[in-house]
Amino acid sequence: MTSLAIDGKDYPVLSGTVGPEVVDIRKLYANTGRFTYDPGFTSTASCESKITYIDGDAGILLYRGYPIDQLAEQSNFIEVAHLLLNGELPSADEYADFSRHITRHTMIHEQLATFYRGFRRDAHPMAIMCGIVGAMAAFYHDSTDIHDPKQRVIASHRLIAKMPTLAAMAYKYSIGQPFLYPDNSLSFSANFLRMTFGVPAEPYVVDPVVEDAMEKLLILQADHEQNASTSTVRLAGSSGANPFACISAGIACLWGPAHGGANEAALNMLRQIGTPDRIPEFIARAKDKNDPFRLMGFGHRVYKNYDPRAKVMGKVAKQVLDKLGINDPIFDVARELEQIALNDPYFIDKKLYPNVDFYSGVVMSAIGFPTSMFTVLFAISRTVGWIAQWTEMMEDPEQKIGRPRQLYTGATHRDYVPLASR
Ligand code: ACO
């Protein structure tokens, strides 16, 4: 189909390189005086993008064309960040250059550290991250001119590099330990692990299996096309807001339990099940229409097949638990639950497969992160995707302020009645 006729007018059908065609309805209102109605944007493409492709039915996720499992197994986070931001895997020189830029930006302005003291010790780290990342705009004035491509690049590097430092500080603040400065001789992940779990009193030895797991976690969650937080970043950026403000908006959206918070819910559920013999009871509850219980970490709005990220995460969970010698029954519960659900007609018919959150909570918990930090880790990783998507939008000549319309169902015109007469 090359066009779709509505009220006698043709609307062009656009094709991407792969994936569903889209109907270009930009002239619909001008031609018909009608809007489209699509709450939750389930049928609406909000932009053109070259960054990430998902085929939910086939269980495919590509970053710039590369399958996620290949990147998770063979690449590293810095290389993937370069790929997402610039469109190509870096050459050796480009890799060294990009890596140096990110490493050079890991420290934060010393005065920014004093902000932490303003928060309660029991503040949720995501609350701290929303505030601190937004506050960065007050410190890095030389990278807030969004119309200057060089400043955009500097802001991107700053955000990617400083997120682990800010996140580790949020954790340290909550447990009353001193902040650790970054160690730029370490990899992106090892540096974050050291700033989070190390103390100034003794050297911190990075476990290579844990470092590798951290790299994979970061790679798997780095981008996921126009999800809620990415769309939030784009919408905030569409008004010309600076990148620090936009990423702060993305963090706020990610915080929601329907988005970044699902891994915590999945881990809690596995703990609640406790032992494999209790699985049938929970499967029965998940199938019961009168019971609101759902198997957390199962099902996805887009994936109607095995989430390719969950496959990698399952392997990582096993490696980490084996290496750390953690004999956690929740991993047995997870494995068995997965097998039972994958063979149950209810889950097969409804195309409910494990999603990335099914195993990521197990991995983060085994590494030592408290559940409140799970979404913070997600934010460190997704900052790369947010920045790549924001940059793409800023470079798009057709970019305009995002301004959805509405179906108004409120009161029609009525005259004001003074208080004494109501
Ligand atoms: N357990 C049991 N039944 C389920 C589950 C589940 N986890 N997920 C969906 N279903 C059932 C629904 O009851 C519904 O049944 P019905 O057709 O008989 O009414 C059917 O499957 C379709 O479910 P919807 O909620 O309409 O599917 P949708 O695509 O809108 O929802 C969602 C996807 C929200 C992720 C859902 O599968 C869910 O709640 N999963 C558990 C939470 C979770 O793991 N979220 C993480 C998502 S991944 C991420 O955000 C990174």
Side-chain angles (χ1 to χ4, degrees):
M1 191 200 283
T2 54
S3 68
L4 183 78
I6 303 171
D7 279 356
K9 293 257 190 223
D10 281 336
Y11 296 88
V13 171
L14 311 176
S15 302
T17 44
V18 60
E21 294 174 327
V22 302
V23 184
D24 180 351
I25 49 135
R26 278 176 287 186
K27 294 214 165 63
L28 184 74
Y29 179 59
N31 288 342
T32 68
R34 294 189 179 105
F35 300 138
T36 54
Y37 182 61
D38 186 20
F41 307 115
T42 52
S43 295
T44 298
S46 61
C47 62
E48 188 184 321
S49 182
K50 292 181 170 56
I51 301 174
T52 292
Y53 174 72
I54 304 172
D55 181 337
D57 292 322
I60 290 171
L61 168 59
L62 309 176
Y63 290 170
R64 301 281 190 184
Y66 296 101
I68 190 66
D69 52 324
Q70 290 184 23
L71 293 171
E73 301 290 353
Q74 299 172 48
S75 185
N76 65 47
F77 184 63
I78 288 290
E79 194 174 59
V80 168
H82 183 283
L83 173 69
L84 286 168
L85 283 174
N86 303 304
E88 296 298 335
L89 288 168
S91 66
D93 284 349
E94 285 166 342
Y95 179 80
D97 196 44
F98 183 68
S99 197
R100 193 175 59 247
H101 278 293
I102 298 299
T103 307
R104 268 184 37 205
H105 284 294
T106 49
M107 291 213 315
I108 60 160
H109 193 292
E110 195 64 19
Q111 205 174 325
L112 202 49
T114 63
F115 274 48
Y116 285 80
R117 288 186 215 286
F119 289 99
R120 283 170 54 136
R121 290 275 175 191
D122 61 354
H124 195 288
M126 284 298 274
I128 297 181
M129 294 303 282
C130 288
I132 281 284
V133 173
M136 283 172 76
F139 285 83
Y140 302 105
H141 296 140
D142 59 342
S143 57
T144 51
D145 179 357
I146 56 159
H147 301 296
D148 178 347
K150 276 200 183 133
Q151 292 200 28
R152 291 203 298 262
V153 169
I154 295 170
S156 304
H157 293 169
R158 282 183 169 147
L159 276 156
I160 294 167
K162 294 182 200 309
M163 281 294 282
T165 314
L166 297 171
M169 288 169 73
Y171 174 65
K172 285 298 193 198
Y173 184 73
S174 74
I175 57 169
Q177 285 188 0
F179 299 147
L180 259 67
Y181 286 113
D183 178 345
N184 290 346
S185 68
L186 299 174
S187 72
F188 190 89
S189 291
N191 179 43
F192 174 56
L193 289 166
R194 183 188 150 272
M195 287 190 292
T196 305
F197 299 117
V199 287
E202 54 192 60
Y204 177 77
V205 182
V206 183
D207 184 322
V209 171
V210 173
E211 181 181 355
D212 182 61
M214 195 67 227
E215 284 284 301
K216 290 189 166 68
L217 262 169
L218 294 175
I219 292 171
L220 293 177
Q221 299 189 325
D223 197 46
H224 214 224
E225 50 115 316
Q226 308 312 319
N227 57 85
S229 58
T230 301
S231 298
T232 301
V233 170
R234 279 190 180 255
L235 197 56
S238 76
S239 71
N242 71 72
F244 304 105
C246 295
I247 300 303
S248 173
I251 294 171
C253 179
L254 186 73
W255 193 1
H259 193 2
N263 44 27
E264 183 175 342
L267 185 74
N268 289 340
M269 179 198 70
L270 293 174
R271 291 209 198 293
Q272 198 191 349
I273 299 176
T275 47
D277 58 299
R278 296 190 63 209
I279 293 173
E281 178 195 328
F282 284 84
I283 294 266
R285 284 188 60 195
K287 293 198 259 182
D288 183 354
K289 278 248 161 280
N290 300 317
D291 189 330
F293 175 79
R294 283 187 167 195
L295 277 193
M296 298 315 281
F298 263 77
H300 194 277
R301 170 58 63 77
V302 179
Y303 292 115
K304 301 302 170 194
N305 200 323
Y306 210 112
D307 178 342
R309 301 167 301 172
K311 280 190 187 152
V312 180
M313 200 59 85
K315 270 196 241 166
V316 172
K318 179 155 177 19
Q319 283 161 359
V320 170
L321 293 178
D322 284 352
K323 176 69 202 310
L324 299 182
I326 297 175
N327 201 1
D328 194 335
I330 60 167
F331 192 65
D332 299 333
V333 173
R335 274 280 163 83
E336 200 158 327
L337 181 63
E338 181 185 349
Q339 282 319 309
I340 293 175
L342 288 176
N343 291 302
D344 188 305
Y346 174 92
F347 292 89
I348 295 170
D349 291 351
K350 295 190 190 301
K351 300 187 175 166
L352 299 170
Y353 294 86
N355 60 49
V356 67
D357 294 320
F358 190 63
Y359 284 114
S360 63
V362 176
V363 174
M364 289 184 281
S365 172
I367 293 176
F369 290 103
T371 47
S372 61
M373 282 295 287
F374 289 4
T375 322
V376 177
L377 263 67
F378 197 161
I380 294 175
S381 159
R382 189 55 60 86
T383 293
V384 169
W386 290 332
I387 279 289
Q389 301 268 353
W390 173 81
T391 303
E392 182 178 66
M393 182 186 72
M394 296 309 297
E395 290 172 355
D396 183 350
E398 297 204 11
Q399 187 269 326
K400 50 174 72 166
I401 187 165
R403 176 55 171 95
R405 302 298 191 132
Q406 64 171 2
L407 173 65
Y408 179 69
T409 54
T412 54
H413 179 103
R414 47 185 173 165
D415 290 322
Y416 177 77
V417 180
L419 184 61
S421 313
R422 274 178 242 154

